Amino acid sequence: MGSSKLPLLVFAAAIVVGLAGASFRDECDIPWEPQNARFTDDGSGLSLSLVSNYSGCMLRTKKQFIFGRVSTLIQLVPGNSAGTVTTYYTSSVRDYHDEIDFEFLGNETGQPYTIHTNIYVNGVGDKEMQFKPWFNPTDGYHNYTVSWSPCKIVWYIDGTPIRVFRNYEQSKGVAFPTKRPMYGYSSIWAAEDWATQGGRVKADWSKAPFVANYRDLYLDVCECSSYGGDDCATRCASSHRGGRSMCHLSNTELAQMRQVQNKYMIYNYCVDYKRYNGAIPLECSLPQY
């Protein structure tokens, strides 16, 4: 992995890492394989283990929300992490779900992780952007944040935006999540058929368990526990009303995002012309900053 640092990122990273964290133990449940999770004594830290190709672990927030900011610090699986996927994402439940993804695809020792981002709306995804890290995500903790508002979704790493997806639903007919409450999730699981170099490299189960560590959960969300889904969408949208600045990145953020995308993006569905027979999805022709 590259050890070079982006000069614009240092100050933002220091700010985000300093955020106070909530307790994973208090704020979350573990609906899948709870025996593979370990909390720190104060509940602010957590480890998730992948033990076999059918036994990983998943954690879910107790809060269900529409719009907000979810953030945590993650130290990814070190060494040979091929065939593993560690995640941090938000998702609704039931059919035609909405979802905002960070997925970290493992690799052979010495080869970089793939940082995979995607968004699903009404059960339809296929909006992938992937990056190689400009840091070692297994050597210490790094902050990963999803910011979801009525006008945009932003993916951040260490306080630096790497991707934006704007809301063009009313003006252009591009689907955007605005009505289905989501939970925040963290998980680790096996995906040998596709995760590493297109499935060519499988997990070395003699190295199991594969362990990812999390610290300092941060939730600043519009919670839906006290009223129904439709009312939640209306009230949460109202609470996020603001001017133009709320719907656009600052000039500094825009410069940071462009720097990351120019140097470290390795896949962008918007320029995969073969996939779309020479055409591109509508949102790809619209400003995303």
Side-chain angles (χ1 to χ4, degrees), residues 12 24 154 158 161 216 221 225 228:
F24 283 99
V154 188
D158 288 335
D216 293 347
V221 297
S225 60

Side-chain angles (χ1 to χ4, degrees), residues 31-240:
W32 181 49
E33 303 284 28
Q35 75 277 6
N36 293 335
R38 296 288 183 272
F39 295 103
T40 58
D41 290 343
D42 64 359
S44 66
L46 167 77
S47 66
L48 301 181
S49 296
L50 175 62
V51 178
S52 68
N53 60 0
Y54 56 86
S55 182
C57 194
M58 182 178 71
L59 173 137
R60 186 177 78 177
T61 61
K62 295 177 182 178
K63 291 180 179 178
Q64 198 174 18
F65 53 88
I66 293 183
F67 308 130
R69 189 179 183 96
V70 295
S71 179
T72 196
L73 301 172
I74 307 175
Q75 182 180 30
L76 296 179
V77 176
N80 187 351
S81 57
T84 73
V85 178
T86 304
T87 73
Y88 185 64
Y89 65 103
T90 66
S91 180
S92 65
V93 295
R94 304 187 180 91
D95 295 336
Y96 305 106
H97 78 294
D98 298 337
E99 183 172 321
I100 307 165
D101 289 341
F102 264 120
E103 294 186 321
F104 309 99
L105 313 185
N107 214 331
E108 298 172 287
T109 301
Q111 298 299 312
Y113 266 80
T114 295
I115 300 170
H116 176 97
T117 67
N118 200 0
I119 177 173
Y120 288 77
V121 186
N122 301 324
V124 179
D126 299 329
K127 301 181 187 302
E128 305 93 340
M129 290 185 180
Q130 295 182 337
F131 305 81
K132 62 181 180 180
W134 55 94
F135 54 91
N136 185 344
T138 72
D139 183 13
Y141 288 84
H142 291 269
N143 182 280
Y144 302 92
T145 298
V146 170
S147 177
W148 173 32
S149 76
C151 53
K152 70 181 186 304
I153 295 165
V154 188
W155 291 254
Y156 291 90
I157 298 178
D158 288 335
T160 295
I162 66 167
R163 178 182 180 182
V164 176
F165 189 85
R166 290 283 303 281
N167 184 354
Y168 287 108
E169 187 162 44
Q170 291 188 351
S171 61
K172 301 294 185 180
V174 178
F176 187 89
T178 57
K179 298 187 181 302
R180 294 182 180 87
M182 297 200 204
Y183 294 97
Y185 291 85
S186 301
S187 67
I188 187 168
W189 49 285
E192 292 183 287
D193 57 336
W194 66 272
T196 304
Q197 300 175 37
R200 184 181 67 83
V201 182
K202 308 301 182 182
D204 180 357
W205 293 110
S206 71
K207 302 294 194 298
F210 301 99
V211 180
N213 295 306
Y214 293 73
R215 195 180 75 201
D216 293 347
L217 176 67
Y218 178 80
L219 300 173
D220 182 11
V221 297
C222 186
E223 193 175 353
C224 294
S225 60
S226 59
Y227 37 86
D230 291 340
D231 194 26
C232 180
T234 300
R235 292 179 62 175
C236 288
S238 297
S239 71
H240 278 78

